[in-house]
Amino acid sequence: MIVTLSETAAILASAQRVVITAHENPDGDAIGSSLGLMHMLRSLGKEACVLLDDDIPAIFSVLPGYDIIRRPDEKEPVEADLLVVLDTSTDRTGCTLAAVKAEHLLNIDHHQTNDNSAEYTYVAPGRAATAEIIYDLTRELPVKLTKDMAVCIYTGLATDSGFFRFSNTTSHTMRAAAEMLDHGVTPNVISEALEQKPYQTVRDIGEAIEMAELFADGHAAGIFLDEATTARMKSTESFIGMIRVIEGVDIAVVMKAKEKELCRVSMRSKGIDVSKIALQFGGGGHTRAAGCTLLMPFEDAKRTICEAISKAIWENK
Ligand code: AMP
Ligand code: MN
Ligand code: MN
């Protein structure tokens, strides 16, 4: 059931014990919006915790509350009044739904592909980040912004908007960020922490750029990592940004073989709706940033995604 922002605030206000979760492979928005909401609910005197069913990259240790994020455990289910799923539909949350016995389920998201499968769903595709919705909620509830909330919300805003450069950045995004600065955020402290990379990761970026391929007559660029390469490279998040900028490229793709028949795909575009390509394979996302998982061997997955991307490019010419 779709709910409004004020109904979302009312649902949060009426719960006392709240568990917050977000998508697997969590990014700055998943973690930032989760911790931001946790600090906000705690300031209102509620019991709130964050459970994420994945490893949390160490760069996010700059976020207050990073150390208290736990993994859900199906063998020891947690009881709660409300489970809040952030920055995804309810499906990409690992075992969290099974590990939390909650009376109510609320989903807050900014993805246009949200499947509206939760008991209550609030989706705002016009917001650059789920953290921007958490900011909106601070104005609906009797919350006094603290530095902890501001750092978490700012991180979500900044990471999902490419530090306020992507097309999803609005004046509202920047006003929200400005308010976070008024509450103690120092932008360079956060960006420097998030940009930190181990020496080996920088070398891996060099190797990945060497592997980049052009296809669809130069309108698409891809980096395709087989299982051995994926296992060897610890952090691959920055690869897609490196090939997105190639002149003439409309769609960039990075595909990683995680298992023998499981490949994770990330796509970025300069306008063509890549969420439609992702949806064809059960994934989702935004017009200019989307992803999906292909349950096939590396070579088949590579051929399948390249064909789908090429088709989308020719249809848009
Ligand atoms: P990524 O390439 O992983 O940064 O993801 C780009 C966008 O697509 C993000 O907003 C993700 O939440 C979304 N996305 C990525 N993979 C999936 C998936 N398998 N299902 C649904 N949405 C996805
Ligand atoms: Mn996300
Ligand atoms: Mn997001």
Side-chain angles (χ1 to χ4, degrees), residues 23 27 29-30 87 109-111 128-130 160 286:
H23 58 80
D27 51 23
D29 188 28
D87 201 37
D109 191 13
H110 69 128
H111 291 92
T130 299
D160 260 26
H286 311 280

Side-chain angles (χ1 to χ4, degrees), residues 34-88:
S34 295
L35 289 173
L37 179 62
M38 181 194 81
H39 292 306
M40 193 173 131
L41 296 177
R42 286 185 174 189
S43 80
L44 294 171
K46 299 175 188 301
E47 280 174 44
C49 69
V50 176
L51 298 181
L52 292 173
D53 193 10
D54 214 331
D55 296 330
I56 319 289
I59 49 168
F60 295 114
S61 60
V62 70
L63 297 189
Y66 169 88
D67 293 330
I68 53 173
I69 299 175
R70 295 275 168 268
R71 273 184 102 120
D73 183 354
E74 276 177 279
K75 283 181 234 117
E76 285 181 39
V78 182
E79 286 193 12
D81 303 330
L82 179 67
L83 173 61
V84 188
V85 175
L86 297 177
D87 201 37
T88 176

